[in-house]
Amino acid sequence: MASISARRLRKELSEIHVEGCPVGINLLSADNFEQWLLSLEVMGESQYPGEVFALKFRFDPNYPISSPAVQFVVDGKYTSPVHPHVYSNGHICASILGNEWSPVLSVIGICVTLQSMLASCKKKERPQDNDRYVLHAPDNPKKTRFHYDVDTV
Amino acid sequence: MSSREPMWYCHECNAEMRPLMMPDPHCASCQGTFVEKMENPADDPREFSHGLGDEGFGGIPDYLEQMFSMPPPGVNPSMFGGPRGPTRSPTGGLGGSTRSRSPGSTPPGSGFRFEMHRGPGGGSSTFIIGGAPTLGRTPGTRPGGPGVDPVPNMSDYIRRNEGPTRDGEIQGQLMMQFLQMLRAASGNRAGGEDPFAALFGGMAGGPDGRMGDYVFSQEALDRIVTQLMEAGNTHRPVPATEEVIAKLDTDVLQEKSPLLEKDCAVCKEQFSLQTEDPDEQIVVTLPCHHPFHQPCIIPWLKSSGTCPVCRFALVPQPDQQASGSQPPGGSGGPSQGGSGTSGSPPRSPPPPSGSGPAPGAGSSSGGGGGGFLSNIFGHLNPLGGHGSSHSPPSTNNSRGPSNRNSTRRSTRGPSGDDVPGSWHDFLD
């Protein structure tokens, strides 16, 4: 039997192919069940008009029991959105990617959440501790224990 | 003594004396005001000193006593050099105890200094650790006349053990070796409760770069911060216990079961009688009425004792209180990014792709932030539909919809590199 993650991701992939992605979200690559890339664009009025970002999802075999490692792609083509919860290395401080992860969430669900997060941003700025964090950040953002505060950013 | 007017006790001199009333009582020796009238025999301040000497530090190993002992009274204390300020000649208090000046008068850089008193009649020991610039003295000035065999002081001791060093200087490396040696020596004392082992507890100084409360590398500091954060991390999900899991409502799928129209929210597959794995015909229904394949839900419950759909808590989850006690829509504190602290009402994020919030999900306590999960749940058809048709009784539980709707994020707290000054941010 295929691993849980492969089965679930196959299901998600087929839904994406059948139903399509929500507006502003596009599947860039899903060649395997270990890493997917999706593009993300904030629709409507926002701090990020015309900006297109890419999200990298990394899955381990326990997905969806364990959360995927999600970060914005930072390379020659894509940059990390300037946002109080997004570090310049692409790491994202969002509770649903950490201890509020639920297997009900999905790749598209995460994209939608992050889209909302960007859409509701009022002031483009980096996290306060961006430089310090980026200097020492692990490769996998799941290894970072973020501290989440209730907020409405 | 009881027949006489009671004596007073100066806690700075650790000595009995008759105070100068000016008009408040002042110690006749040090002019300090930390004095106490010895009227109650049951509460003799000297007992404290006794206790300290006999119990608290009673186990001072002999070698330490030797190493650290002050020269006997009468020897010029300036032989200690270095932090010349703190040490004065014995003042004739009972037992000839040594005392320090008030901290304010201690010259800067004189290092960490503490004293051990052995109570009335006993001696005292003064330790000075660190300090600038020197503990040394020139070899020719070794104190003690004929007949006096002074115990070695610290710099002597180190010099003897480490070979020739530049006179008059204890460098950090040397001090570290010295402290390591201390530890090694105390480690050899089988079984004994060595106060120094506790004092310099866990002092390895070696590969982990730690020595007591001090760390000597970024890595070691990171480790400590990580430990602290783990200890204080109240948001980590609590897994369900085996007992709780064993009591869950479990069904085996049968023909015409209403469950067959539903999905397992973990694998997103519809319940079916035609499955390869017979375990997938076993359906666990949580108390919130959400059904799951047994092989899907059990691993999740072992990592977090909550319903994946509605976050109903099978076991008390630490962030219930935390999220419940947070002021609605409040910013997370001084660390918060500017956009959260503006005080203006948060703007609701636009609903994604036209799908509304999940029916049954309460309105958010946090305004704009509350929309996230409902957005997701709304998006995840047909899950949202199932959620609504069941209208789980989670509102009656401690974790209501208003809690689960607040998405918590922060700019805070990557574990590796935070600084102690910001720890207050983690206390929520």
Side-chain angles (χ1 to χ4, degrees):
Chain A
M1 196 178 94
S3 70
I4 328 169
S5 67
R7 200 173 128 185
R8 159 77 184 253
L9 287 169
R10 193 173 290 126
K11 174 99 180 168
E12 288 190 40
L13 196 56
S14 75
E15 278 184 12
I16 290 174
H17 285 143
V18 170
E19 300 173 17
C21 291
V23 180
I25 298 168
N26 283 298
L27 190 63
L28 296 178
S29 78
D31 303 329
N32 53 50
F33 294 134
E34 285 160 17
Q35 178 171 315
W36 290 8
L37 292 176
L38 289 96
S39 69
L40 186 66
E41 193 177 352
V42 186
M43 310 311 290
E45 192 186 331
S46 80
Q47 300 279 338
Y48 310 92
E51 294 186 62
V52 181
F53 307 104
L55 280 168
K56 179 165 79 175
F57 286 74
R58 283 180 283 174
F59 309 98
D60 66 41
N62 285 326
Y63 176 84
I65 300 303
S66 68
S67 62
V70 185
Q71 64 191 95
F72 283 100
V73 174
V74 180
D75 59 14
K77 190 176 176 190
Y78 294 102
T79 58
S80 167
V82 178
H83 185 279
H85 295 326
V86 182
Y87 292 89
S88 56
N89 63 356
H91 287 198
I92 307 160
C93 180
S95 58
I96 58 151
L97 300 177
N99 55 31
E100 288 195 4
W101 164 253
S102 160
V104 172
L105 295 167
S106 62
V107 171
I108 293 299
I110 291 170
C111 289
V112 169
T113 306
L114 296 177
Q115 199 182 32
S116 296
M117 183 184 88
L118 297 183
S120 60
C121 175
K122 296 185 205 68
K123 187 179 175 189
K124 282 174 89 166
E125 60 182 3
R126 286 290 178 209
Q128 272 185 352
D129 54 348
N130 182 70
D131 293 350
R132 204 158 39 111
Y133 173 70
V134 170
L135 201 59
H136 299 288
D139 169 58
N140 187 335
K142 282 185 75 178
K143 290 186 178 144
T144 301
R145 265 185 297 276
F146 290 104
H147 175 74
Y148 313 105
D149 292 320
V150 172
D151 79 34
T152 57
V153 173
Chain B
M1 191 172 286
S2 56
S3 61
R4 296 164 50 193
E5 190 183 338
M7 290 288 283
W8 289 62
Y9 186 82
C10 175
H11 286 275
E12 294 188 44
C13 303
N14 294 299
E16 292 155 273
M17 49 87 207
R18 298 209 176 273
L20 305 171
M21 306 302 285
M22 34 196 235
D24 299 326
H26 283 64
C27 172
S29 299
C30 70
Q31 316 295 317
T33 54
F34 191 5
V35 294
E36 182 181 355
K37 199 175 192 175
M38 293 193 289
E39 352 183 52
N40 183 2
D43 181 25
D44 191 332
R46 290 169 300 182
E47 291 299 320
F48 176 70
S49 195
H50 265 305
L52 205 64
D54 296 346
E55 291 158 31
F57 294 119
I60 298 176
D62 290 339
Y63 63 91
L64 284 174
E65 184 78 329
Q66 271 204 333
M67 251 163 38
F68 282 119
S69 283
M70 282 284 288
V75 173
N76 181 2
S78 72
M79 64 171 278
F80 273 82
R84 286 179 178 85
T87 309
R88 271 198 208 164
S89 296
T91 54
L94 201 98
S97 58
T98 315
R99 63 187 174 80
S100 63
R101 284 183 197 169
S102 65
S105 68
T106 303
S110 64
F112 176 52
R113 177 175 191 280
F114 56 96
E115 301 181 12
M116 290 183 176
H117 297 279
R118 314 208 74 180
S124 71
S125 306
T126 303
F127 308 147
I128 304 168
I129 294 186
T134 170
L135 283 174
R137 57 196 169 79
T138 48
T141 62
R142 194 179 182 90
V148 182
D149 187 14
V151 293
N153 66 17
M154 188 184 287
S155 55
D156 276 341
Y157 195 92
I158 291 169
R159 193 173 295 130
R160 196 183 300 155
N161 280 274
E162 301 296 335
T165 58
R166 239 172 66 206
D167 192 42
E169 229 180 313
I170 291 187
Q171 290 165 350
Q173 179 67 14
L174 205 54
M175 178 56 80
M176 184 129 161
Q177 287 169 354
F178 167 68
L179 291 171
Q180 280 177 318
M181 174 205 68
L182 260 186
R183 175 178 167 77
S186 54
N188 290 337
R189 293 167 55 85
E193 261 301 309
D194 184 347
F196 280 87
L199 186 64
F200 300 122
M203 177 176 74
D208 73 348
R210 265 191 83 167
M211 195 157 75
D213 286 343
Y214 294 85
V215 292
F216 293 94
S217 68
Q218 179 67 42
E219 210 184 335
L221 179 62
D222 287 353
R223 254 198 307 274
I224 287 180
V225 172
T226 303
Q227 281 171 10
L228 285 167
M229 289 195 56
E230 278 174 353
N233 189 350
T234 55
H235 295 308
R236 182 167 292 180
V238 176
T241 60
E242 295 286 344
E243 196 182 14
V244 168
I245 291 175
K247 285 182 182 164
L248 291 174
D249 187 7
T250 306
D251 294 307
V252 178
L253 284 174
Q254 290 171 346
E255 295 281 348
K256 294 183 182 172
S257 162
L259 285 171
L260 289 172
E261 293 171 12
K262 295 173 185 168
D263 290 349
C264 168
V266 172
C267 67
K268 316 245 182 228
E269 305 270 0
Q270 201 165 2
F271 293 112
S272 166
L273 290 170
Q274 286 86 43
T275 55
E276 299 172 26
D277 186 350
D279 282 352
E280 291 184 8
Q281 302 192 12
I282 303 175
V283 176
V284 173
T285 305
L286 297 183
C288 51
H289 299 225
H290 290 119
F292 304 92
H293 291 121
Q294 188 187 49
C296 290
I297 190 65
I298 299 302
W300 169 253
L301 292 179
K302 285 178 178 173
S303 83
S304 170
T306 59
C307 171
V309 175
C310 67
R311 296 196 192 275
F312 169 82
L314 296 164
V315 291
Q317 295 293 314
D319 57 344
Q320 284 176 0
Q321 295 81 10
S323 56
S325 64
Q326 291 283 352
S331 67
S335 65
Q336 212 43 258
S339 45
T341 57
S342 62
S344 60
R347 186 159 52 100
S348 286
S353 66
S355 55
S363 68
S364 155
S365 65
F372 292 127
L373 280 185
S374 54
N375 279 343
I376 298 159
F377 287 124
H379 180 77
L380 298 172
N381 287 322
L383 284 171
H386 279 293
S388 67
S389 68
H390 274 286
S391 59
S394 62
T395 47
N396 297 330
N397 295 309
S398 53
R399 187 176 184 102
S402 63
N403 281 344
R404 85 177 111 106
N405 278 341
S406 60
T407 299
R408 294 179 298 132
R409 287 195 222 92
S410 167
T411 62
R412 291 278 355 133
S415 64
D417 51 356
D418 226 304
V419 292
S422 62
W423 286 343
H424 66 275
D425 292 333
F426 305 122
L427 303 173
D428 65 356

